[in-house]
Amino acid sequence: MRLIRLLTPLLMAALAVPLLAAAAPAPTSPHDWINSPEAYFVSSEERALWDRTVVTDEQAKAFVDQYWQKHGAAFKREVLTRLEAADKYFGMGGVPGSKTAKGRVFMILGSPSNQRDTGRAVQASPGIGADPGANLQNNTIEQHGRVTTQWIYRPEKLPKGLNLPQTTVTFLTDMARNYQNIDNLGQIEPILHRAAEVFVAQFPPAGTPEAAQSVPSPAVAVSEDPLWKAQDNAAGTFFTGEGFISPTEQPFYAASFFIPKSAQALANQKSVLFVGLVKDANGVPAANLREQADLQAYGDAGDRYVDRSIALNPGKYEGMFALFSPEGTTLLASRRVQFEVPDNKATRASRLFLTSKIDTLDKQLPLDPFTFVAIKYAVKGNAHFRTSEKVGFFTVVTNPAGNQEPALSMRMVVSKDGKVLDRTPTEAAPLMQTGPHTWLVGTQFEPNTFKPGHYSIELQLRDLKADKTSEAFTKGYVNTAEFDVEQ
C-alpha cells in the first residue's frame, strides 16, 4: 500500500489564512462582549470566570459593569481612547480598525518606532498622542494587493515593565481579499499577553482591596442541575473530548458529538441545546455551558456533528455533556467523562484524532474547538470511513523539550486486520505551529488508499532536542488510532 504524502501543502497554506484571533464580530449582544476589542485587556482568570458563570444576558451585563468598576474610570477611558484611535486609522474593507490585527497590536503595544513595508523605505512613527494614520495605513501598497508590513518597536517604545529587546511584529495584509493576520503569531502572542497585564497594572483597582481580587458574578448552581443524575445515553452518537492550549496560552476543553445518520433520536433535529457541566477534582462546580447550536453536516452521507469548548484552569475534572432539544425540555444524548486539562507548559501529545472533514475558516477565535491556524478539523467520532473519503489524522504536541523551534522525528506503522501493511522510514515531522508552545502534526491519505477492512495506525514522535536519556528522546510520544473502511 502506498502511503500518501503528509499534509505539508495544506498546513503551509494555512499560514496565509486570515487569522484574526482577537477580531471578533461586533458585540451585538451582551454575550459578544468578551470577544470584542473592549476585552483585549481581560486576564485569563477573568475570561475563565466569564466562561464559568455567564449564562444569561443579565449576567453578561453585570459582568461588564463590574469589570469596568473594578479597574476604574481612568482604565476605561484609556481603553476606549485607544479603541477609537484604532477604529479611525486601521479599518479595512468595512472591518473597524480595532478588530484588525494592526488595531489590536496598536491598542496593546502602542505605536511602533518604525514601519517597514515591502518595497517601501523605513518610516518614523508618531506616538499614541499623535496621528498614527499619517504613515501606518492607507499608503499605496496597502490599498492594493498583498503586502508584508513590519512594525519595529525599540525597547524604549515598548510598555515599561516588559524589559524586552527590539521587537518586530510582522503583518500579512491582503486588501483585495480583505484579511490581515500576524505572521509571527507564536512569537508575538506571549508579548501581547504580558503587555496587557502591564497595562492593567498601571491602574489601581477601584474600591477595597478585597473587591479588586475578583469580579463578582451571579452564582451558578451547577451541582444542583438534574443532568448530573442522568445516566449515560449516547443514543447512537459518539463523543470526543480533549484538553488543549489556545493560541493565547489559555487552557480549555474541546467536546464534540458526532451524529451518524443512523442516530434516530436526533434524526429530526436541525439544532440542539449543547450543555456542558463540569466539576473539579474536589467536586466544586467549575463550568456551566449552555448554548444553542446548529448541527453541521459531515460529508455527504447524512452524518452530522456539533462541538463546543470551555475555558478551564489546568487540572482534573468530571464533566457531563449533553444534547437537548432546542427548547431544553428533551434530553437527546448524554455522556459523562473524566478528563484533564493540561498546563500551557506541560510536555505532552494529544491523542490521535481521525478526520475526513477539514475546512478553512475566515478567522479563528482563541477557543474554537479542534481549530488550528484557522483550519477546522472536524473529528469523525465513529471512526468509520468509506473508500472514497480522505482519511486523515492529527495530534497536537505541547512544549517538546521546552524549545521554541522543536525537532521531532516521525515514524508510522499501518496495519490491516492485525497484519502490518506498511512502515514509513523515520523522518522529520512536518510541524505547524499553532501557538507559542504547541505544534500540530497531521497526515492525510488520498481516496481509495484503504480497501475495506479494519485498520490501525501507530504514530511515534521523538523529541530530538530532549535529553538523550529521557523517554521523550528514547521512546517519544506513541499514539494509536483504529478505524474501519467500507465500500
Side-chain angles (χ1 to χ4, degrees):
M1 183 182 72
R2 180 172 63 90
L3 295 178
I4 307 303
R5 68 183 183 276
L6 300 176
L7 283 173
T8 305
L10 174 62
L11 301 184
M12 293 302 293
L15 299 179
V17 172
L19 176 58
L20 296 177
T28 55
S29 77
H31 270 85
D32 295 329
W33 179 86
I34 194 66
N35 293 315
S36 74
E38 288 187 7
Y40 283 167
F41 298 95
V42 166
S43 68
S44 298
E45 292 76 13
E46 288 168 332
R47 184 175 290 272
L49 185 62
W50 170 286
D51 292 331
R52 289 198 308 270
T53 62
V54 173
V55 178
T56 66
D57 284 354
E58 289 71 22
Q59 289 172 332
K61 292 176 182 177
F63 186 104
V64 175
D65 290 343
Q66 292 156 0
Y67 172 79
W68 292 126
Q69 182 180 1
K70 167 186 173 180
H71 293 292
F75 169 83
K76 181 178 182 180
R77 185 166 53 251
E78 181 63 22
V79 170
L80 297 183
T81 297
R82 293 186 179 203
L83 189 153
E84 183 180 358
D87 278 344
K88 183 176 181 180
Y89 297 113
F90 301 109
M92 53 179 290
V95 178
S98 61
K99 297 178 182 177
T100 66
K102 286 185 177 180
R104 178 177 176 237
V105 172
F106 169 78
M107 285 184 63
I108 297 175
L109 291 184
S111 299
S113 305
N114 299 292
Q115 171 177 300
R116 182 180 291 113
D117 293 315
T118 301
R120 291 182 65 87
V122 175
Q123 304 169 340
S125 170
I128 285 183
D131 180 355
N135 55 15
L136 293 185
Q137 185 73 8
N138 298 327
N139 56 60
T140 56
I141 289 180
E142 293 200 359
Q143 289 172 351
H144 304 283
R146 184 171 176 174
V147 60
T148 297
T149 306
Q150 291 183 326
W151 282 9
I152 302 153
Y153 289 86
R154 290 195 292 267
E156 65 273 13
K157 262 288 187 176
L158 291 167
K160 295 180 180 179
L162 286 184
N163 299 319
L164 291 174
Q166 179 169 296
T167 299
T168 300
V169 185
T170 303
F171 300 96
L172 185 63
T173 305
D174 192 323
M175 295 300 294
R177 295 180 176 84
N178 192 33
Y179 74 72
Q180 181 180 89
N181 62 15
I182 300 174
D183 201 37
N184 56 338
L185 182 66
Q187 174 191 355
I188 297 304
E189 192 61 53
I191 295 175
L192 294 176
H193 181 74
R194 289 172 54 196
E197 291 178 340
V198 169
F199 174 79
V200 173
Q202 297 176 22
F203 299 89
T208 65
E210 292 77 11
Q213 296 303 310
S214 62
V215 180
S217 58
V220 181
V222 178
S223 60
E224 298 178 358
D225 194 300
L227 180 59
W228 278 113
K229 299 179 181 180
Q231 298 296 316
D232 266 8
N233 180 17
T237 67
F238 296 83
F239 179 86
T240 302
E242 183 78 3
F244 291 106
I245 305 299
S246 79
T248 56
E249 299 254 80
Q250 184 174 2
F252 70 98
Y253 184 72
S256 170
F257 281 91
F258 180 84
I259 307 165
K261 183 179 180 180
S262 59
Q264 292 300 313
L266 290 98
N268 297 321
Q269 301 293 333
K270 295 182 179 181
S271 63
V272 295
L273 177 67
F274 191 110
V275 177
L277 307 181
V278 180
K279 296 179 182 178
D280 65 18
N282 297 316
V284 177
N288 183 345
L289 172 69
R290 296 174 183 272
E291 288 187 7
Q292 297 290 333
D294 293 331
L295 301 182
Q296 304 296 318
Y298 199 114
D300 57 5
D303 301 330
R304 295 173 296 168
Y305 78 100
V306 60
D307 54 19
R308 286 296 186 269
S309 59
I310 301 175
L312 293 166
N313 293 325
K316 294 182 179 180
Y317 296 92
E318 178 185 7
M320 189 65 176
F321 295 88
L323 303 180
F324 283 81
S325 56
E327 70 281 0
T329 57
T330 303
L331 178 60
L332 304 172
S334 60
R335 180 68 188 276
R336 187 184 304 273
V337 292
Q338 307 286 333
F339 63 91
E340 185 171 357
V341 174
D343 184 86
N344 59 13
K345 298 297 191 301
T347 300
R348 67 187 292 269
S350 74
R351 75 181 72 178
L352 212 54
F353 297 99
L354 296 166
T355 181
S356 62
K357 180 176 174 57
I358 303 174
D359 297 308
T360 300
L361 307 181
D362 291 333
K363 60 187 175 184
Q364 176 186 344
L365 298 178
L367 299 187
D368 280 348
F370 305 102
T371 303
F372 309 93
V373 195
I375 295 183
K376 174 81 170 187
Y377 299 82
V379 178
K380 191 153 196 182
N382 68 346
H384 282 270
F385 299 86
R386 292 173 293 164
T387 55
S388 59
E389 289 182 287
K390 287 187 176 183
V391 179
F393 63 81
F394 67 94
T395 183
V396 179
V397 184
T398 304
N399 198 36
N403 201 294
Q404 282 295 94
E405 296 182 359
L408 295 179
S409 69
M410 172 176 165
R411 183 178 66 84
M412 185 165 55
V413 179
V414 180
S415 301
K416 179 184 179 185
D417 299 326
K419 297 181 180 180
V420 174
L421 287 182
D422 201 358
R423 301 177 187 268
T424 65
T426 300
E427 57 187 351
L431 303 177
M432 177 177 72
Q433 188 165 10
T434 61
H437 299 91
T438 55
W439 292 264
L440 181 142
V441 179
T443 301
Q444 191 174 38
F445 303 90
E446 293 296 336
N448 299 308
T449 297
F450 297 99
K451 305 304 179 184
H454 180 77
Y455 291 85
S456 67
I457 292 180
E458 178 183 280
L459 179 70
Q460 180 191 50
L461 296 171
R462 287 179 55 226
D463 186 351
L464 302 183
K465 291 189 177 181
D467 186 286
K468 290 182 171 52
T469 62
S470 69
E471 190 173 279
F473 180 86
T474 58
K475 181 181 179 182
Y477 314 95
V478 180
N479 272 323
T480 60
E482 297 187 8
F483 59 96
D484 292 291
V485 177
E486 55 191 30
Q487 197 64 44

